[in-house]
Amino acid sequence: MINKKEIFEKNLDTVLRNIEQARLSVDEHSIIKLVAVSKYSSSEDIEMLYHLGQRAFGENHIQQLSERKEELKNLPLEWHMLGHIQTNKINKLIELKPSLIHSLDSVKLAVALNEKLALKNIKLSALLEINSASEESKSGVELSMAKDIYQEIRATCPNIILKGVMSIGAMSEDYEVVKKSFESTYDIFDALKYDGATICSMGMSGDYELAIKCGSSMVRVGSSIFKG
Ligand SMILES: *Cc1c(COP(=O)(O)O)cnc(C)c1O
């Protein structure tokens, strides 16, 4: 029988080495954070990854985040919320206090979230999600509006600590198209550094090395780590 832990160890090792290589090709002083996306795996799998040294995990659905967090509450894990947030789930999300929300994808959501946070006197950290290739299937604000929206949320939603931007690379087989989507996101991030942006979350299993070369500081990798 093949040992799952050995597979995870090998996968994690490969991903960490690839991140390191991509990082060194950009800037030896940069720090890249790995968020292991656990949406296709089980709590036992997450625990194995924890014992291999991984601490930050990401989920797409509030319900699943809630279950995982409860099942693994004895481990000092850091939880990231990555998926689209429905307004009626905001209270639940606040209860879970994720360490970072990557998917703040509209002013409307920000205003609703801020209102509930203010009532409870809580602050949460978030990233503005950008639809960097203007794809209809994706959430996120339009590239051309991103800077203004970021500043608007920063000015009007004091209970949301905006820490930067997130984007999912273009859904394309064409390397140049994907690269362009990351570069466009990075340009916005770069322009927002004076507005407190410190995190540029981009890159998934298929494109995290490219994303790092385009300036990503946080990659969200699922299948490359958890696949059996
Ligand atoms: C699923 C998901 C990931 C990870 O995807 P993989 O291709 O499995 O690495 C990253 N970010 C978001 C927002 C996701 O939904």
Side-chain angles (χ1 to χ4, degrees), residues 67-85:
E67 287 163 19
R68 293 283 162 78
K69 204 179 167 201
E70 176 58 27
E71 284 170 14
L72 297 163
K73 63 175 179 239
N74 294 326
L75 302 180
L77 304 180
E78 184 186 303
W79 289 103
H80 294 241
M81 174 60 190
L82 309 178
H84 177 67
I85 299 158

Side-chain angles (χ1 to χ4, degrees), residues 37 39-40 60 82-83 166 168 203-206 220-224:
V37 182
K39 65 186 180 198
Y40 303 125
N60 249 19
L82 309 178
M166 179 275 237
I168 297 175
M204 315 190 345
S205 290
R220 313 173 307 269
V221 181
S223 36
S224 291

Side-chain angles (χ1 to χ4, degrees), residues 72 95 174 178 207:
L72 297 163
E95 259 173 53
D174 186 340
V178 183
D207 53 23

Side-chain angles (χ1 to χ4, degrees), residues 53-114:
Q54 181 64 26
R55 293 293 178 270
F57 293 88
E59 287 288 341
N60 249 19
H61 295 286
I62 290 175
Q63 187 53 37
Q64 197 162 16
L65 176 61
S66 164
E67 287 163 19
R68 293 283 162 78
K69 204 179 167 201
E70 176 58 27
E71 284 170 14
L72 297 163
K73 63 175 179 239
N74 294 326
L75 302 180
L77 304 180
E78 184 186 303
W79 289 103
H80 294 241
M81 174 60 190
L82 309 178
H84 177 67
I85 299 158
Q86 288 166 285
T87 322
N88 62 358
K89 300 266 172 65
I90 288 178
N91 279 328
K92 181 90 191 167
L93 178 69
I94 294 175
E95 259 173 53
L96 296 171
K97 292 200 181 71
S99 71
L100 186 63
I101 298 165
H102 292 234
S103 44
L104 196 66
D105 57 13
S106 68
V107 173
K108 188 165 161 261
L109 174 64
V111 168
L113 175 61
N114 183 69

Side-chain angles (χ1 to χ4, degrees), residues 2-19 32-59 82 203-209 212 218-228:
I2 305 166
N3 182 329
K4 216 173 186 184
K5 186 158 179 187
E6 275 172 26
I7 294 171
F8 286 172
E9 185 165 17
K10 196 158 158 279
N11 288 349
L12 184 62
D13 200 56
T14 304
V15 169
L16 290 173
R17 251 183 302 126
N18 291 343
I19 290 174
I32 313 288
K33 177 154 182 159
L34 168 63
V35 176
V37 182
S38 42
K39 65 186 180 198
Y40 303 125
S41 56
S42 66
S43 290
E44 293 82 71
D45 292 351
I46 296 172
E47 188 162 356
M48 277 185 214
L49 257 294
Y50 165 79
H51 288 296
L52 292 169
Q54 181 64 26
R55 293 293 178 270
F57 293 88
E59 287 288 341
L82 309 178
M204 315 190 345
S205 290
D207 53 23
Y208 64 91
E209 291 158 282
I212 291 168
M218 191 176 276
V219 293
R220 313 173 307 269
V221 181
S223 36
S224 291
I225 295 176
F226 285 104
K227 73 179 174 225

